[in-house]
Amino acid sequence: LAAEQASGRAAYARAANTIGTALKLIDRFPDSGERLRTELALRTTENTVTAVLYGFASEEHHRVIERICELGEQLGKKATHFRGLVNLATFYFTRGEPLRTLELGRRCLELAEGIGEPEMVAAINLMLAYGAHGCGRLAEANAHYRTVMDCAEHANQLNWVLPNELWSTAASQAGCAFQLLGHSAEAVKLVEAGLSRAREAQHRFTIGLALTVAGWLHQYRREPEAVRAVADAAIALSEENGFPEWLFWGQYHRGWALAELGQLADGIK
């Protein structure tokens, strides 16, 4: 509970320490269903914490995801196993393996049959969107992003399957896909809406994601001043909150913007 509360307050480093201590304690428990359920609760929070502190594609995050899948199978919990697979699909997408993301998204569709929770439907469609987006099937990706946005409006925000707010994520990513399809005006509106929604929710990790995606959009549009502005915001947010995923992207975008503006030496630093 203390770890979950710390994570909810975005105190991720504190949550990680609390989880580590708790996992050592439950190692002393006798093997039982209760022990597995207690570990599952901790691993569920750890999933968010490791994604934030180490990155979606990190081995730390991967190990936690695999353990959640194992616990779901051992406990016979279909929904828990599903959550693990959704996060595994995200892991592969961020590792540049969109086909594996698509395969897992389709598998999750089968597992989720009969569950019907809006956040789960949203999460599945986000995986399918990521996979299609990464494979260049942009119109297909946007159809899934739209489903995510529709479902996220009715989802329980306290029961997200992923560590980022889904509506903001889908809107931002869809904006980039629209830009690549040549729909510039719609692209800008979606990316701005995603960032605005994240800020309204005061979800700092999702704000970092939305700033990163805004950097990609403005880079596609060859707008170095705009890229530099969102990069500086992402760097400041990441340094304050300990978000390496968005810090690295912010540094990359800032370097690109400076180089485009003729400040090559500063851009390379």
Side-chain angles (χ1 to χ4, degrees):
L1 179 60
E4 185 176 353
Q5 290 173 341
S7 177
R9 296 193 305 271
Y12 298 105
R14 183 182 302 172
N17 290 333
T18 303
I19 290 167
T21 300
L23 287 172
K24 289 177 183 177
L25 288 174
I26 65 170
D27 281 343
R28 304 173 186 174
F29 292 3
D31 289 338
S32 66
E34 184 61 31
R35 180 187 183 281
L36 293 176
R37 285 188 288 272
T38 301
E39 182 183 352
L40 176 60
L42 289 166
R43 297 294 185 186
T44 300
T45 303
E46 189 182 26
N47 173 58
T48 296
V49 170
T50 53
V52 171
L53 293 181
Y54 302 105
F56 286 107
S58 67
E59 281 304 316
E60 291 86 351
H61 189 215
H62 188 207
R63 284 194 293 269
V64 175
I65 294 168
E66 289 191 325
R67 182 56 181 158
I68 288 173
C69 291
E70 290 172 2
L71 290 167
E73 289 183 339
Q74 290 176 31
L75 288 166
K77 286 195 171 186
K78 188 176 180 180
T80 298
H81 186 55
F82 159 82
R83 288 168 186 269
L85 291 176
V86 166
N87 279 278
L88 189 59
T90 305
F91 170 79
Y92 285 126
F93 175 67
T94 55
R95 294 267 292 238
E97 301 182 61
L99 282 175
R100 296 186 76 171
T101 301
L102 269 177
E103 290 168 4
L104 282 168
R106 290 166 182 156
R107 185 176 170 191
C108 287
L109 269 179
E110 298 174 3
L111 282 174
E113 186 176 350
I115 295 176
E117 295 179 12
E119 61 271 17
M120 291 194 177
V121 176
I124 292 170
N125 276 276
L126 187 60
M127 296 308 100
L128 293 171
Y130 279 167
H133 196 156
C135 291
R137 290 146 55 175
L138 301 177
E140 179 183 336
N142 277 338
H144 287 299
Y145 285 134
R146 175 51 60 184
T147 301
V148 176
M149 294 164 70
D150 291 342
C151 291
E153 293 287 7
H154 308 289
N156 176 8
Q157 295 198 32
L158 298 178
N159 196 30
W160 290 129
V161 179
L162 297 164
N164 41 292
E165 198 273 332
L166 295 177
W167 195 97
S168 300
T169 301
S172 298
Q173 296 280 11
C176 280
F178 268 99
Q179 179 64 38
L180 293 172
L181 287 167
H183 304 297
S184 294
E186 183 68 15
V188 172
K189 288 179 184 176
L190 281 165
V191 169
E192 289 179 347
L195 180 54
S196 177
R197 179 72 163 258
R199 284 172 168 158
E200 287 172 8
Q202 298 181 350
H203 196 283
R204 283 172 275 183
F205 188 68
T206 305
I207 293 171
L209 183 151
L211 287 168
T212 298
V213 177
W216 297 337
L217 174 72
H218 292 299
Q219 188 177 21
Y220 295 159
R221 294 164 61 88
R222 311 297 294 185
E223 297 171 337
E225 290 286 5
V227 172
R228 181 175 179 176
V230 295
D232 287 345
I235 290 169
L237 176 79
S238 300
E239 289 179 340
E240 180 182 353
N241 294 280
F243 298 157
E245 185 100 6
W246 314 136
L247 177 61
F248 298 148
W249 276 112
Q251 291 169 336
Y252 162 74
H253 281 142
R254 189 173 191 276
W256 178 88
L258 289 172
E260 287 291 303
L261 292 166
Q263 302 173 45
L264 296 178
D266 289 335
I268 293 171
K269 289 180 181 177

